[in-house]
Amino acid sequence: MTNTLQFRRHRRLRSSIEMRSLVRENHLHKDDLIYPLFIIEGEKTKNEVPSMPGVYQISLDYLEDEMKELQSLGVKAVILFGVPKEKDEEGTGAFHDHGIVQEAIREIKNKIPEMLVIADTCLCEFTSHGHCGVIHNGDVANDESLELLANTAVSQAKAGADIIAPSNMMDGFVTAIRTALDEAGYINIPIMSYAVKYASAYYGPFRDAADSTPQFGDRKSYQMDPANRLEALREAESDIEEGADFLIVKPALSYLDIVRDVKNNFNAPVVAYNVSGEYSMVKAAAINGWINEKELVMEKLTSMKRAGADLIITYFAKDVAKWLSE
Ligand code: PBG
Ligand code: ZN
């Protein structure tokens, strides 16, 4: 039979597993993965987060085993969040030299020095009101918060953090933190800025995990409006001008257009934060048997790479590392 019709045969390049591998454009690698950890004060504590099956708040004594597991799976970087016992108005636990995050950094760097430790720099886990800055006259005060955030970053660097990741969304936070780090001698510690962070309902489960739900109001005066795209470029531009070394876009799933915009407009590694709600939705469906978890997660994270992400912060990091080894 001769083919007289004129059209292109796209299916030629999809004809077998090998053919598809040959022409695959984007790949997920273990090197792309950053695993978030919640460190809780106390001993011998390992609490599963109810809304995040498979994610735990762990005490310092579990860290060494956790790092060994990650290492054996090939995950090379973690990002740390603290769950302190005491909170106060100013979130002083965030910048205490023996705060929970500082202790966790020291413990990891002592036991497993090769593990890259990223410190999330914010106040909300440590403030009694749960906001990411200090409160003046009922509002989150920008400039007053900067000094506390800078102190937090310096204390994290002092404890041995490899990368500082400020997530607070105050204006000028990269300048404040870069200046403070440089003055303290940490000129070579990079800043992974949460440059583009939306006020998102996808953070719900994280606030259970980190016990950081705002006690009044919401975060909409400092986190971004989900309807806005150009504003994301302004935010990213400021952070680059102020000296950010990496740009985070958060959440990932509903914001892949923004990941692409940031990738196209700025020459810095782009990090997609696959947040708690994105994790919990998949887990809930998987537990019910409604979706194929492995296929769905691999598809989702590969789509983040395709959108332009160089790195992905994800609660699925361990699973993905396992699947990539199979
Ligand atoms: C707060 C912070 C949040 C996350 C990381 N740091 C969310 C918030 O604004 O409450 C969210 C992470 C996630 O949902 O996985 N500075
Ligand atoms: Zn915060």
Side-chain angles (χ1 to χ4, degrees):
M1 192 191 85
T2 49
N3 177 18
T4 50
L5 298 173
Q6 291 300 310
F7 52 81
R8 288 175 68 176
R9 294 202 175 268
H10 299 290
R11 292 182 57 187
R12 284 179 192 138
L13 300 187
R14 298 178 199 139
S15 58
S16 66
I17 292 178
E18 295 72 21
M19 189 69 82
R20 292 191 290 274
S21 291
L22 200 66
V23 299
R24 185 158 299 129
E25 298 174 36
N26 293 286
H27 295 88
L28 200 53
H29 301 288
K30 292 182 183 184
D31 290 346
D32 305 331
L33 304 169
I34 300 171
Y35 187 59
L37 283 173
F38 299 98
I39 319 297
I40 189 163
E41 259 179 274
E43 278 173 22
K44 297 198 168 52
T45 311
K46 186 166 181 177
N47 304 329
E48 189 166 31
V49 180
S51 53
M52 302 179 74
V55 172
Y56 299 82
Q57 299 173 324
I58 58 170
S59 52
L60 292 172
D61 39 353
Y62 280 101
L63 267 179
E64 188 174 0
D65 284 348
E66 185 72 33
M67 292 307 122
K68 287 185 176 152
E69 186 191 356
L70 288 167
Q71 239 185 349
S72 72
L73 292 169
V75 177
K76 301 184 183 74
V78 293
I79 182 164
L80 303 184
F81 299 95
V83 188
K85 276 203 179 110
E86 310 276 339
K87 302 181 187 232
D88 57 30
E89 282 285 306
E90 300 224 296
T92 57
F95 44 90
H96 198 286
D97 276 335
H98 294 283
I100 183 64
V101 171
Q102 288 77 2
E103 294 292 2
I105 297 168
R106 261 183 229 110
E107 170 70 9
I108 298 173
K109 295 310 289 188
N110 277 339
K111 300 276 166 62
I112 317 280
E114 316 79 58
M115 184 61 70
L116 267 178
V117 177
I118 305 170
D120 182 89
T121 304
C122 203
L123 301 181
C124 55
E125 296 130 51
F126 302 90
T127 50
S128 43
H129 45 75
H131 278 288
C132 303
V134 288
I135 308 295
H136 283 202
N137 305 321
D139 193 19
V140 179
N142 196 86
D143 299 16
E144 290 81 350
S145 301
L146 293 179
E147 195 185 331
L148 305 182
L149 292 163
N151 292 343
T152 303
V154 170
S155 74
Q156 292 167 336
K158 207 160 135 189
D162 296 292
I163 299 177
I164 298 299
S167 61
N168 50 85
M169 289 297 278
M170 295 301 116
D171 290 325
F173 70 80
V174 178
T175 296
I177 289 174
R178 185 71 270 162
T179 307
L181 286 174
D182 290 353
E183 280 171 1
Y186 300 107
I187 55 169
N188 286 323
I189 300 293
I191 295 177
M192 181 182 282
S193 171
Y194 286 73
V196 182
K197 182 176 180 184
Y198 287 92
S200 170
Y202 284 100
Y203 305 151
F206 173 92
R207 293 177 188 177
D208 293 340
D211 186 26
S212 63
T213 307
Q215 297 303 298
F216 66 91
D218 53 39
R219 302 205 207 286
K220 291 179 182 167
S221 78
Y222 44 106
Q223 298 181 350
M224 287 178 46
D225 183 339
N228 294 353
R229 184 169 79 87
L230 299 176
E231 188 183 0
L233 297 179
R234 294 200 293 275
E235 280 280 0
E237 186 177 27
S238 298
D239 285 16
I240 286 290
E241 283 168 0
E242 294 179 30
D245 301 283
F246 300 79
L247 297 172
I248 301 179
V249 175
K250 175 182 178 187
L253 193 58
S254 290
Y255 299 87
L256 294 184
D257 54 333
I258 308 298
V259 171
R260 173 48 61 193
D261 279 341
V262 169
K263 181 68 182 172
N264 286 352
N265 282 281
F266 303 98
N267 186 3
V270 175
V271 187
Y273 197 142
N274 176 218
V275 301
S276 56
E278 302 173 42
Y279 176 86
S280 300
M281 291 191 308
V282 173
K283 280 290 174 188
I287 287 164
N288 278 292
W290 295 337
I291 45 116
N292 178 326
E293 183 177 10
K294 176 181 165 182
E295 284 188 12
L296 190 138
V297 171
M298 295 304 275
E299 175 180 336
K300 191 159 90 118
L301 299 201
T302 302
S303 72
M304 292 172 194
K305 295 291 302 281
R306 192 196 63 233
D310 298 288
L311 302 169
I312 303 171
I313 302 174
T314 179
Y315 304 95
F316 288 112
K318 286 183 186 177
D319 304 303
V320 170
K322 265 178 224 151
W323 294 329
L324 288 171
S325 304
E326 277 167 10

